[in-house]
Amino acid sequence: MSGNDQDNGGMGPAAARRLEYGIIGLGVLALLMIFQPFGIALFMVGCILVVVAGLMNNLLPLAQPGVPIRSVVKTGMIVAMIFFIILLIAIVAAHLYGLFFLKPPDPGTLSGRIQLAARPWYMHEFTWAIAAIASILAGLVMLLSRRRS
């Protein structure tokens, strides 16, 4: 590829190689952190990194010289948006599973009173943060699509 690809926003061979090696390196680092014998905190970080590396593997086909960086960023945002939407669906499915298949908490026991006093899933900040991130990513993807056309 010529040097003009970089002028048009496309990645050069070195940038494409760095992206590819970075994604693969993140996966290897995550596996090393999972199987290390030193601490549970490193294991937890490794588990999170495995999910992130698995999602970033969707970007490997774009790690080619001449591919615009904008395409890589847009694809990454789409993958992240899908992840957050699926996470919201999983939270709702877990709630529905509890409603339909589990016995309701017994108010006569301590654990039952604690469960009944807990806030519902839709009032937690975590749920709203995930919904906000998914909405923002959807808006950004739409904005990027409109700018291009």
Side-chain angles (χ1 to χ4, degrees):
M1 292 268 144
S2 65
N4 294 338
D5 291 333
Q6 293 173 342
D7 297 338
N8 295 332
M11 288 188 291
R17 193 174 313 108
R18 278 195 307 269
L19 177 63
E20 182 179 2
Y21 289 168
I23 292 170
I24 293 171
L26 183 65
V28 171
L29 177 67
L31 289 175
L32 289 174
M33 291 179 87
I34 285 178
F35 293 112
Q36 54 76 32
F38 304 115
I40 195 73
L42 288 175
F43 173 78
M44 178 192 66
V45 172
C47 289
I48 293 169
L49 282 179
V50 162
V51 173
V52 172
L55 291 170
M56 287 186 67
N57 276 334
N58 290 301
L59 301 178
L60 278 175
L62 298 175
Q64 301 291 325
V67 173
I69 296 172
R70 182 184 189 100
S71 296
V72 176
V73 171
K74 184 177 175 184
T75 305
M77 289 187 341
I78 290 170
V79 168
M81 178 186 65
I82 291 170
F83 172 73
F84 285 112
I85 289 171
I86 297 298
L87 192 56
L88 282 173
I89 291 170
I91 290 171
V92 171
H95 175 71
L96 292 175
Y97 175 83
L99 283 179
F100 291 118
F101 298 112
L102 299 179
K103 289 186 345 185
D106 181 14
T109 63
L110 177 63
S111 63
R113 287 191 297 274
I114 292 172
Q115 289 175 12
L116 290 171
R119 288 188 298 169
W121 64 272
Y122 51 84
M123 295 196 54
H124 286 272
E125 293 85 11
F126 179 73
T127 306
W128 286 106
I130 291 172
I133 291 170
S135 300
I136 290 169
L137 286 171
L140 287 173
V141 168
M142 286 179 47
L143 185 72
L144 283 175
S145 297
R146 287 186 181 170
R147 279 190 184 173
R148 186 150 210 197
S149 56

